[in-house]
Amino acid sequence: MKIAYFVLPHLGGTYTVFRHLRAGLAPDGIELCWLGLTLAGQGLPAGMEREAAFGTLVEATASDDGKSTARLMERAILAGGFDGVVVNVLSDRVQTNIVRYLPPYLLRLMVVHNITPGTYAAAEAIRPYVHATVCVSQRCRDDLVKRHQFPAGRTFVIANAVSLDAFPAADRPARPIGQGLRLLFLGRIEDASKGILWLPDILERLPASSTLTIAGDGPDLKRLKATMPGVTPRVVYTGAVAADAVPALLAAHDVFLMLSRYEGLPMALVEAMAAGCVPVASALRGVTDMIVENGQDGLLFPVGDTARAAAIVRALDKDRAQLHGLSLGARRKVAGAFTVERMAAQYAAVLRDIAANPPPLAAPLALDGWSMPRGLRAGLRTFLPSPLKNWLRGVRERL
């Protein structure tokens, strides 16, 4: 079986999932290849050139309304001899929409990576044209089945996972009191989803011995630096971090800060726990509490409660035995339930089931009539001021 996975190689969670799945599915005889979109002449993102061997790049023109790009994608899928496709909802709108136009013999699996209303609206728009839906967290599945009428028998939870081979099992020695905790933020430097602008307030509440590494890049990096109270060596910015450098980065830190307002199931959180870097994370129902058992393998705080987050870190600074115990628990949690082998086996089971017993789908649409359905167009929420949207997101999680 040969499957096209819609993603452009990049430093980020969605592509990390692809890499793990490609390796995990190969022993089952399932060949997974990426299929990505970019503008003509741009090529692969910097640092991703070696990934060319594992997929196909489709180049579109900037002035295209989507129809021409969709035709190029369809040709690439048919020329590649694929048996099916995996669409990552809203990672790209053209790639999300094209499943409504593909030939009926192609298997179609969609993956929902986030818990936002916009993501759910996009998923609902293409639901009649896919054979099954994979949700990366329990929250995603609960919302889609209970509120958006997704068929329970074809909507699955398969958590993102890591390869433990990349994370040595060596026990971390307990750091003595007096040596400040080494904190890490790893991910996209963006406030709306990641809550990155809460970091300065947290750091101001911590002992001067605590250090913070901010690893990643994104649109709010300049704003973050302008409001961050600490300077080198207390605060270090690394920029984007290559995937193969992530395990060592996590191993060099004690606490992983995850301040997100919303997520699906962030790869960085799973990776941190695999490395024994203790997560102090936003309590997102059905998301972070799906992997973090509060007080056993990490600690959770209400979304946006920077005072509580800082208090948790201060308590860990004073209780290194608890820090050590949480580190061991985090590693055990991932080893028991969030491995690539487990994730790949679950994906393989879904793919083989829909191949053997494909459920009926809506008839494919004609490409000549290409259009974006309402769920893939900008909605009212797009035009709300960012402070209001952020407030609404926080309220939703606290209710």
Side-chain angles (χ1 to χ4, degrees):
M1 188 184 300
K2 186 177 182 182
I3 304 293
Y5 186 95
F6 291 168
V7 68
L8 181 69
H10 66 284
L11 290 176
T14 309
Y15 194 72
T16 300
V17 172
F18 163 77
R19 291 191 299 106
H20 290 330
L21 268 181
R22 176 171 58 82
L25 290 174
D28 282 311
I30 299 175
E31 182 183 1
L32 196 67
C33 306
W34 63 262
L35 183 64
L37 286 176
T38 189
L39 292 177
Q42 284 193 351
L44 290 174
M48 292 288 113
E49 294 82 5
R50 64 181 180 181
E51 299 301 312
F54 306 113
T56 301
L57 190 64
V58 176
E59 297 186 306
T61 60
S63 59
D64 179 33
D65 62 359
K67 183 190 295 185
S68 298
T69 302
R71 289 193 184 280
L72 291 173
M73 278 195 61
E74 183 185 47
R75 289 173 193 161
I77 292 167
L78 299 180
F82 292 104
D83 301 296
V85 301
V86 175
V87 54
N88 292 295
V89 174
L90 277 191
S91 64
D92 178 88
R93 293 181 188 274
V94 172
Q95 288 187 323
T96 301
N97 191 39
I98 199 173
V99 297
R100 304 195 304 145
Y101 298 86
L102 294 177
Y105 65 83
L106 285 170
L107 299 177
R108 277 159 281 187
L109 180 68
M110 75 161 141
V111 183
V112 181
H113 290 276
N114 223 323
I115 60 171
T116 64
T119 305
Y120 292 162
E124 193 169 3
I126 66 171
R127 182 192 60 207
Y129 301 89
V130 300
H131 294 95
T133 300
V134 167
C135 301
V136 300
S137 65
Q138 188 64 48
R139 168 77 166 275
C140 290
R141 185 184 186 277
D142 289 347
D143 287 350
L144 291 178
V145 171
K146 294 176 183 177
R147 301 179 185 178
H148 297 272
Q149 294 74 53
F150 273 57
R154 291 195 282 124
T155 308
F156 306 91
V157 177
I158 304 179
N160 294 334
V162 299
S163 173
L164 285 177
D165 291 344
F167 297 89
D171 189 11
R172 288 170 173 241
R175 284 172 62 77
I177 292 177
Q179 292 184 11
L181 291 184
R182 302 163 298 180
L183 313 178
L184 173 68
F185 174 90
L186 170 63
R188 180 171 168 79
I189 310 300
E190 184 261 344
D191 186 58
S193 63
K194 303 297 184 182
I196 191 74
L197 295 181
W198 283 324
L199 278 174
D201 186 55
I202 292 174
L203 190 64
E204 283 188 322
R205 297 170 183 267
L206 298 180
S209 59
S210 301
T211 62
L212 173 62
T213 300
I214 299 169
D217 200 355
D220 289 326
L221 181 59
K222 184 176 180 180
R223 292 176 65 196
L224 176 63
K225 288 183 175 181
T227 57
M228 183 62 72
V231 295
T232 304
R234 193 181 185 199
V235 179
V236 175
Y237 299 88
T238 70
V241 179
D244 57 6
V246 166
L249 176 69
L250 289 163
H253 291 83
D254 306 302
V255 172
F256 173 74
L257 290 176
M258 200 210 86
L259 314 179
S260 300
R261 292 182 173 91
Y262 57 87
E263 290 282 357
L265 187 66
M267 278 298 306
L269 175 60
V270 187
E271 291 172 328
M273 293 177 69
C277 189
V278 175
V280 174
S282 298
L284 301 175
R285 176 181 51 80
V287 180
T288 51
D289 62 7
M290 178 177 157
I291 181 170
V292 176
E293 185 177 353
N294 193 47
Q296 298 298 313
D297 40 47
L299 295 162
L300 302 174
F301 62 91
V303 175
D305 191 340
T306 54
R308 178 61 183 151
I312 289 172
V313 176
R314 288 198 305 270
L316 289 176
D317 193 21
K318 296 175 182 178
D319 189 347
R320 299 305 173 90
Q322 183 190 26
L323 179 73
H324 186 60
L326 292 171
S327 175
L328 295 177
R331 169 77 185 194
R332 283 195 301 268
K333 173 63 71 64
V334 173
F338 295 89
T339 63
V340 165
E341 293 78 11
R342 183 185 179 101
M343 176 180 69
Q346 292 172 320
Y347 269 93
V350 171
L351 288 168
R352 294 200 184 283
D353 180 62
I354 61 177
N357 306 288
L361 301 182
L365 305 177
L367 266 176
D368 286 342
W370 173 267
S371 65
M372 286 288 177
R374 186 174 65 177
L376 285 171
R377 299 195 297 266
L380 177 62
R381 285 175 177 268
T382 305
F383 304 102
L384 292 176
S386 293
L388 177 58
K389 284 194 287 189
N390 290 340
W391 179 80
L392 289 171
R393 288 161 180 154
V395 168
R396 181 180 67 170
E397 290 307 319
R398 293 188 187 213
L399 290 178

